[in-house]
Structure formats: C-alpha cells, structure tokens
Amino acid sequence: MLIRVEIPIDAPGIDALLRRAFSRDAEAALIRDLREDGLLTLGVVATDDEGQVVGYAAFSPVAVEGEELQWVALAPLAIDEQYRGQGLGSQLVYEGLDSLNEFGYAAVVTLGEPAFYSRLGFEPAARYGLRCRWPGAEAAFQLRALADDALSGVSGHVEYQEHFNRL
C-alpha cells in the first residue's frame, strides 16, 4: 500500500472510488468541480500493489465568518470496501494533516463520526463557538488545530465552498 499526494493521473481512479464508496455520483462530482475550479487544496491517495486508488482524502479551503484563515475542510474521506477497518482512513488523514502543517495551514474542520475523528485529535467545533451550515450536525462537526494560535479569537460560522451545497 502506498500513500501519497494525488497526481493528475489519479483523477479517474479517485472518481471511480468515490462512486463506489458512496453509491452515488455527488462526492465524485464535488471533487471534480473543486479540482476544476482550483479549490482542491490537497488530495491524498492510497494505492494498492497494482496502482489502483483504494483510499482518498480531500481538503479544500473554508472561511470563518467570511475571513480567510488558512483553514481547510476534510471531505470526503473514502476507503474501498475491502480495505475498511484496517487503519487506512487514519493513515490518509494523518498524511494530509502532516502535509497541511508543513504548508502552514492553521486548522482542519470535518463533518464525521466523532468516535473515529476524536482518535485523530479532532474535537467538537462547538466547544470553540464554531458551527457549520448543516442543522443538527453539532456532534459531527469537528476541528483539529494545526497551529498553536489557530483558535485565538475565532468563532462563528465556518463557510464551506459553495460546491458543498449540492451534496
């Protein structure tokens, strides 16, 4: 298994994985649109021994109350069914967090299973007065600071790219 930053040749494999993992086209279309509009901050892939994409984590910019703070959203995270439960999702997220930290990003937000993301150092965003546009998502909306001062004086609405409105 190889985990690395995505390259252009990975796009068809990522597209196919997202369609398989989510049993619909919405997430694949989201990534295609973000990529085409230059709004995909980072994509991390896992490939098997044949070079097929079997895992993917995408990161795209978000704003807080309209202010750009070097924050990104982690979405989607997808693992091929036969590789689930083997720690691949955690490895993809950690690889992404390491790369984002090196590039000076301050924080990552995500909407996902608290039990999984808390193991990766994410905390409830509501604890810091942060919320997202999806009603009832308070428990699932989480964040991880990458910079010591990432949360200083920050609160309010975290704004995802408009592309997420189509999900």
Side-chain angles (χ1 to χ4, degrees), residues 16-147:
L17 169 67
L18 293 172
R19 280 200 228 116
R20 283 192 315 272
F22 293 98
S23 301
R24 62 184 194 165
D25 192 49
E27 287 77 9
L30 169 68
I31 293 304
R32 280 193 312 268
D33 292 346
L34 288 169
R35 189 181 292 121
E36 286 172 10
D37 292 344
L39 295 171
L40 192 58
T41 304
L42 176 68
V44 181
V45 296
T47 57
D48 64 13
D49 294 338
E50 287 86 45
Q52 298 298 310
V53 176
V54 296
Y56 183 65
F59 300 85
S60 59
V62 294
V64 180
E65 295 290 328
E67 191 175 343
E68 301 296 325
L69 299 172
Q70 290 295 95
W71 287 31
V72 293
L74 163 57
L77 173 62
I79 307 298
D80 203 71
E81 191 170 351
Q82 72 186 54
Y83 292 96
R84 291 181 190 160
Q86 300 175 25
L88 187 54
S90 298
Q91 291 175 42
L92 284 166
V93 172
Y94 281 135
E95 182 68 26
L97 294 173
D98 286 347
S99 294
L100 291 163
N101 192 37
E102 286 178 28
F103 292 127
Y105 285 88
V108 178
V109 295
T110 195
L111 199 61
E113 179 57 46
F116 172 74
Y117 285 102
S118 66
R119 291 193 311 260
L120 304 177
F122 285 78
E123 304 176 76
R127 185 176 294 163
Y128 299 96
L130 295 162
R131 62 191 183 289
C132 65
R133 72 171 191 86
W134 294 281
E138 291 80 18
F141 188 52
Q142 300 160 79
L143 75 92
R144 176 160 172 186
L146 299 177

